[in-house]
Amino acid sequence: MRKLVMMNVLLIVVLIFGVLMICPTSDAADKEIVVGFSQIGAESAWRVANTESIISEAKKHPNIVLKFSDAQQKQENQIKAIRSFIAQGVDVIAFSPVVETGWTPVLKEAKRAGIPVILSDRAVDTDDDSLWVTFMGSDFVEEGRRAANWLVENYERLKNPDKSMDVINIVELQGTVGSAPAIDRKDGFEEVLAKYPNFKIIKSQSGDFTRSKGKEVMEAFLKAEGKKIDVLFGHNDDMAIGAIQAIEEYGLKPGKDIIIVSIDAVRGAFEAMLEGKLNVTVECSPLLGPQLFQAVQDLMAGKELPRRIVTEEGVFPQEVAAEVLPTRKY
Ligand code: GZL
């Protein structure tokens, strides 16, 4: 009898222990985490895809509360949003800085409030690296190098037969003035071109990463240089797509009379390549949501984050567009 009682007690202990193992009491993984995210705006298809990635990923984390703010591409709106997140006492602040400079004061306020800051997509230029815990996003200098390397390797086979290789005139549509991608893509592109003196940038101006401004600036380039233009380098696909409209309205064939190289690899670029109007797009992935919220969970669980989380990316020339387009997520 005594043995039976002992057996039942042992069974009950094992059952209780087993239940506790399956349903642990709430721990760090369940603690609610409030994240304040300041997004630049909705200036391009890339940005829209980036926002979608962040918002949809946040929904997959039951313990994440996302406070999302759109700055309409104005730094003062981002600074206001960050100050509001600080006042609300969020657990983590993340943002994509519209330009590199001017962030130190507000990031010091976040630090004084004990709120960690994650840089998403773009970096900041500050002399105090303790003001942010990690920067996740692409290597823009490498994207500029990839654009230039593809151009010097492929221009001769793609150009109009009557065009010379002695001097190749390039016009450049830069991204937002002062932004990390605009600064770094230009640096990477020019670093490679320095080895090929026959490739010359004859005009360079910001199109602010938008289709409309890209078209407007390309119209001005065509008015000034016309058929002298051999190549367009666009810092993003949206400006290149706007420029394609300007080139067609001017009476030239984009992708043939003017070889076009751009960056992002958004759906619109693949569609333009299928029409033969764009020659190559260098990938810059906006799908940062999964990395961002993994970093937030790790940070709040007390884990050390790497200072730099780089996204792996490729280069998509016109000849692969048909095969690759169905696989694209943005
Ligand atoms: C790059 C991102 C840039 C894209 C543009 O990571 O910051 O901003 O290249 C977007 O399309 O507007």
Side-chain angles (χ1 to χ4, degrees), residues 59-180:
K59 288 176 183 156
K60 294 176 188 169
H61 296 251
N63 67 323
I64 295 275
V65 173
L66 177 64
K67 292 178 179 293
F68 186 90
S69 143
D70 176 327
Q72 281 90 46
Q73 280 191 281
K74 290 184 174 58
Q75 181 175 31
E76 62 266 25
N77 290 344
Q78 289 199 285
I79 291 171
K80 270 187 210 139
I82 292 169
R83 287 204 164 109
S84 166
F85 296 146
I86 293 168
Q88 296 174 64
V90 300
D91 296 298
V92 181
I93 290 170
F95 76 118
S96 177
V98 62
V99 292
E100 284 190 337
T101 55
W103 302 102
T104 301
V106 73
L107 294 182
K108 281 187 173 169
E109 292 167 34
K111 184 177 178 183
R112 278 197 297 275
I115 301 173
V117 174
I118 292 176
L119 302 179
S120 167
D121 168 31
R122 297 184 185 179
V124 296
D125 179 6
T126 175
D127 52 10
D128 181 354
D129 280 352
S130 75
L131 297 178
W132 48 272
V133 291
T134 188
F135 162 43
M136 57 182 66
S138 307
D139 179 343
F140 303 131
V141 177
E142 182 54 28
E143 291 170 352
R145 292 191 195 102
R146 287 176 182 169
N149 279 319
W150 181 90
L151 178 64
V152 297
E153 287 161 14
N154 293 278
Y155 177 76
E156 187 158 16
R157 71 178 175 87
L158 291 169
K159 70 176 181 62
N160 276 343
D162 58 347
K163 290 214 171 188
S164 135
M165 284 302 288
D166 297 342
V167 176
I168 296 124
N169 295 314
I170 301 167
V171 293
E172 178 184 26
L173 285 170
Q174 294 184 39
T176 302
V177 175
S179 69

Side-chain angles (χ1 to χ4, degrees), residues 163-211:
K163 290 214 171 188
S164 135
M165 284 302 288
D166 297 342
V167 176
I168 296 124
N169 295 314
I170 301 167
V171 293
E172 178 184 26
L173 285 170
Q174 294 184 39
T176 302
V177 175
S179 69
I183 292 166
D184 292 354
R185 285 170 182 167
K186 183 171 187 57
D187 286 352
F189 191 79
E190 290 178 348
E191 175 192 299
V192 170
L193 246 49
K195 294 175 278 186
Y196 301 89
N198 54 331
F199 285 83
K200 291 191 181 317
I201 297 176
I202 58 170
K203 281 269 189 291
S204 181
Q205 190 178 330
S206 175
D208 209 16
F209 283 134
T210 68
R211 283 195 187 196

Side-chain angles (χ1 to χ4, degrees), residues 43-44 46-47 121-122 140 181 185 209 235-236 264 284:
E43 74 280 3
S44 61
W46 190 99
R47 187 65 53 199
D121 168 31
R122 297 184 185 179
F140 303 131
R185 285 170 182 167
F209 283 134
H235 285 195
N236 82 330
D264 274 353
C284 172

